[in-house]
Amino acid sequence: MTPEHTVAEAFNLGDRIQDIRPYGHGLINDTFVITTTTGRHVILQRINHRVFPEPVRIMENLRTLGIHIRRRQDEANFGARDLRLPEIFSARDGKDYVTDAQGALWRALGFIENTHTLAAFTNPGQAEEAGYALGRFHALTHDLAPARLHETLPGFHNAPAYFARFLRACARPRRVSSDTALLHCLSFVEVRSGLTRALETARHAGRLRLRPIHGDPKLDNFLFDAKSERVVSLIDLDTVQPGLIQHDIGDCLRSCCNPAGESPADIASVRFDLDICRAILGRYLSETRDFLTPDDYHYIYVAIRLIPFELGMRFLTDHLENDLYFKTDWPGQNLFRARVQFALTAAIEREEERIRSLIAELSQE
């Protein structure tokens, strides 16, 4: 019996297990899909302890989040359209998780049937749906006290801390490199080091405040209904924790507004699509304008520029540290990933005036 099958048997799934197979292409956790004898599907995940040192906090956050969102969606005045969260299956001992013999934490979550994710948008309506879903998530959770959520990744989106780690990685002895791609990336970070402090400085000055965030609202974490093409769920909630909603906005646009995707065949194809940006932000702001402040609007562009730069810096640091954090399939993949994110950052910088004008226009609608 495989380790994942042994763990799966420890959960109360309501059915017998027929099959377990690897599922998805996540860079952090190990994910499997269980098929039961009645044809039901359940997601089984082993949480990466190296990335999430206290994984129990993730499960406690999921419970807190689920209770709060269900209450908000039950309120008569909040509208009829809901966002679905994956069901949490309890273990036979009553916990929300199972710990295996090696100390790893596993969880079983409901599989939301008849849905799919997208590699890229094929029409503006899909982009609007992503904006709606993220806006709805923030509208449902903005009144959840951040103190009720654990930090599952302490320092997540702390760009100054990422920059400090990058500097430490650069200072480690290594062979002098003539790799022009690496040298370009190192220079790219150096000349933009001041950008890393922008949002943290605003937060400490009281211009931005902590709220619950999703933490990873990239395109493939939006589940689209197979028939209606409406987003029915935001998944991958491990990084839900207190943060700045600008981080979520920036990360959503980073992921969605580059039609070339995360692993383009040609880095020169990377661009920032303003039409997609307009569609996402327009629907997002229609869901959130009741509680956004002028400062929230002001820092949206800063976040759009910062988040791909921050992620690129993290990929570059991981490359310098011999790929300790992000899974790789080939040597140099994290360096390539960094180059993609830096190319997107540069594209955003070229469109700064138009992006700022778009934000100002949409904030007045």
Side-chain angles (χ1 to χ4, degrees), residues 17 34 51 75 98 123 126 139 153 155 160 176 178 212 221 229 247 252 264 270 289 312 335 354:
I17 296 170
I34 301 170
V51 175
E75 293 174 357
V98 168
N123 61 69
Q126 294 169 340
L153 277 178
V176 176
S178 59
N221 282 333
E229 286 299 311
H247 292 144
C252 180
V270 172
R289 65 179 72 257
L335 177 60
R354 295 174 69 185

Side-chain angles (χ1 to χ4, degrees), residues 162 164-170 172 174 313-326 334:
Y162 289 136
R165 182 166 182 170
F166 163 77
L167 291 178
R168 291 194 297 271
C170 289
R172 292 177 179 175
R174 66 178 189 277
M313 184 169 57
R314 292 175 64 200
F315 283 138
L316 180 57
T317 301
D318 206 32
H319 173 73
L320 295 172
E321 295 179 338
N322 298 315
D323 307 321
L324 297 175
Y325 186 93
F326 296 104
N334 275 324

Side-chain angles (χ1 to χ4, degrees), residues 143-272:
D143 61 342
L144 172 61
R148 294 186 59 201
L149 296 173
H150 300 293
E151 283 189 278
T152 59
L153 277 178
F156 189 51
H157 282 314
N158 186 331
Y162 289 136
F163 180 61
R165 182 166 182 170
F166 163 77
L167 291 178
R168 291 194 297 271
C170 289
R172 292 177 179 175
R174 66 178 189 277
R175 275 188 288 177
V176 176
S177 175
S178 59
D179 185 332
T180 56
L182 175 58
L183 295 176
H184 166 74
C185 287
L186 294 172
S187 175
F188 194 92
V189 174
E190 180 181 0
V191 299
R192 290 165 177 80
S193 61
L195 176 60
T196 63
R197 299 187 293 273
L199 292 185
E200 284 299 300
T201 297
R203 182 175 72 85
H204 287 296
R207 300 188 66 180
L208 299 175
R209 68 182 184 87
L210 293 178
R211 298 182 176 101
I213 64 169
H214 178 279
D216 193 20
K218 58 188 178 184
L219 179 54
D220 57 7
N221 282 333
F222 294 91
L223 287 187
F224 287 79
D225 180 79
K227 291 184 178 179
S228 69
E229 286 299 311
R230 300 177 108 188
V231 173
V232 297
S233 182
L234 254 176
I235 58 171
D236 201 355
L237 303 170
D238 297 351
T239 49
V240 167
Q241 62 179 8
L244 302 177
I245 60 170
Q246 285 75 16
H247 292 144
D248 272 358
I249 299 169
D251 203 17
C252 180
L253 295 176
R254 175 202 66 79
S255 172
C256 295
C257 294
N258 172 22
E262 304 278 344
S263 301
D266 181 5
I267 290 180
S269 66
V270 172
R271 64 187 179 89
F272 187 81

